[in-house]
Amino acid sequence: MRAAPDARAAAAVVLALTALALPACGDAAPGPEAPRVRSPAGPRIVRRIEPADLLPADLDLVVRVDVARMRAGLGQAAADELARRALDEVPDEALESALRRADVVWLGLRLADLEEGDRVVVLEGRMAGLAPDPERWEAAPAAQGVQGGVAVFDRRGGVAGARADTARIVALGDRAVALVSAVEVSSVARVLRDGPDERRGDPAAEGIVSLDLRARRFPPALARRFPSLGALVAGVERVRAVASLADDGVRIEAEIVGVDPAGAGRARRFLEVLRDNVEDARYADLMKALSIEQVERTVRLRWLFPAPLVLALLSRGSPG
């Protein structure tokens, strides 16, 4: 993407009114038919599209990365490195320039097709001046009816490489950019046209990283191969988690919602076994810090990653 001079454009909400001429009434002789006032083309009510609205419900895992909050807490270099790692599997030449301007990043994935790379990445921030390379991207013909302030671009010649390559770019004015893989093009077009999906993933706008996972049953072949794990997953309805910066490290709070108390109980016992049977002494104290409790069909987790461990993990993955 090429950067033009920065400029912040104000988003506008437009209400389209339709007026019809009323027929003549009374005993007077009818005159020439009054011309109809034609309603403008396009949607009758134009709504503001929020960046997270572009994530369709078929993506069962949505991760939200608050890059601005990480920059404030960890510094520019560490925050950018963490954001890059979170998006390490997104093969796109447009991502780097948009990531430098992003304050918040959403990554939506379908776990069953994780290796294939079906996903939508939405980057919200200071996107004024970004424009797709016209040699690689062209305005999408199907986007002519899209609401004002939204621009849609398709890759010229289609996606010839991997299934995970970006096939479409959606720009919400200067506010956000979405990178859409080929399989998700039709789903994103639908939510642009009809509005956001009610059951879409919606991570909490808290902490530096949050996630929302809607659990789905194992495919039959995997369920037969790993029956215990299949029963565990089948008993879980949703998982939400938030990681927040604190003076003493990174605090993680999570909720696992079971389909019923028995399903939640299986998840709790599984986590307790993992926590209580760590043989490596280096991680024993860390695992003991994991708090697990169950209330009805909800399992709540609280965990502190000490600051030295966080710094060690960051430095281990840093380039150089």
Side-chain angles (χ1 to χ4, degrees), residues 25-58:
C25 57
D27 296 329
E33 183 180 355
R36 293 180 180 273
V37 179
R38 296 184 178 274
S39 60
R44 294 179 184 270
I45 297 179
V46 178
R47 58 182 173 79
R48 178 182 171 90
I49 301 173
E50 298 300 332
D53 292 348
L54 298 177
L55 296 163
D58 66 289

Side-chain angles (χ1 to χ4, degrees), residues 13-161:
V13 177
V14 179
L15 179 62
L17 300 176
T18 304
L20 297 176
L22 296 176
C25 57
D27 296 329
E33 183 180 355
R36 293 180 180 273
V37 179
R38 296 184 178 274
S39 60
R44 294 179 184 270
I45 297 179
V46 178
R47 58 182 173 79
R48 178 182 171 90
I49 301 173
E50 298 300 332
D53 292 348
L54 298 177
L55 296 163
D58 66 289
L59 300 174
D60 46 22
L61 172 62
V62 178
V63 180
R64 181 185 186 273
V65 183
D66 195 319
V67 185
R69 193 169 289 174
M70 286 199 301
R71 290 184 186 124
L74 299 175
Q76 179 81 36
D80 289 349
E81 175 65 19
L82 281 176
R84 284 192 189 93
R85 286 191 216 172
L87 300 171
D88 190 48
E89 300 302 321
V90 180
D92 193 274
E93 73 282 353
L95 180 63
E96 188 70 22
S97 55
L99 186 57
R100 286 195 297 267
R101 297 164 173 258
D103 293 325
V104 179
V105 178
W106 287 268
L107 174 60
L109 302 166
R110 189 184 305 105
L111 288 185
D113 299 310
L114 194 59
E115 292 185 359
E116 286 77 6
D118 298 342
R119 46 85 188 154
V120 176
V121 182
V122 184
L123 304 101
E124 180 182 15
R126 305 167 299 279
M127 299 301 166
L130 289 180
D133 183 349
E135 295 183 0
R136 298 185 178 185
W137 299 93
E138 59 184 348
Q144 294 177 357
V146 171
Q147 303 179 37
V150 179
V152 182
F153 303 89
D154 285 339
R155 187 184 293 274
R156 291 187 181 275
V159 178

Side-chain angles (χ1 to χ4, degrees), residues 144-295:
Q144 294 177 357
V146 171
Q147 303 179 37
V150 179
V152 182
F153 303 89
D154 285 339
R155 187 184 293 274
R156 291 187 181 275
V159 178
R163 174 169 160 176
D165 288 346
T166 297
R168 173 166 288 186
I169 294 177
V170 179
L172 303 183
D174 298 335
R175 299 180 292 126
V177 172
L179 310 178
V180 185
S181 66
V183 173
E184 293 302 316
V185 164
S186 60
S187 295
V188 173
R190 174 179 52 75
V191 297
L192 272 175
R193 181 187 67 242
D194 301 337
D197 287 340
E198 291 184 3
R199 289 179 53 80
R200 66 174 173 81
D202 189 19
E206 302 172 8
I208 55 173
V209 179
S210 56
L211 66 83
D212 184 4
L213 168 65
R214 287 177 293 108
R216 304 193 181 192
R217 289 180 177 271
F218 269 17
L222 278 178
R224 288 192 296 269
R225 187 176 177 185
F226 305 104
S228 298
L229 195 55
L232 175 67
V233 172
V236 174
E237 181 178 288
R238 200 158 199 167
V239 179
R240 293 175 183 262
V242 175
S244 304
L245 285 175
D247 292 340
D248 46 358
V250 174
R251 294 188 178 276
I252 298 175
E253 296 188 0
E255 283 191 350
I256 301 173
V257 179
V259 296
D260 53 28
R266 287 194 293 271
R268 174 182 55 79
R269 290 190 294 274
F270 174 77
L271 292 170
E272 288 172 344
V273 168
L274 288 180
R275 179 192 61 187
D276 299 337
N277 291 275
V278 174
E279 296 181 356
D280 193 327
R282 293 174 299 174
Y283 302 110
D285 290 340
L286 176 64
M287 295 302 295
K288 288 178 182 177
L290 173 60
S291 168
I292 306 171
E293 62 177 1
Q294 180 182 351
V295 178

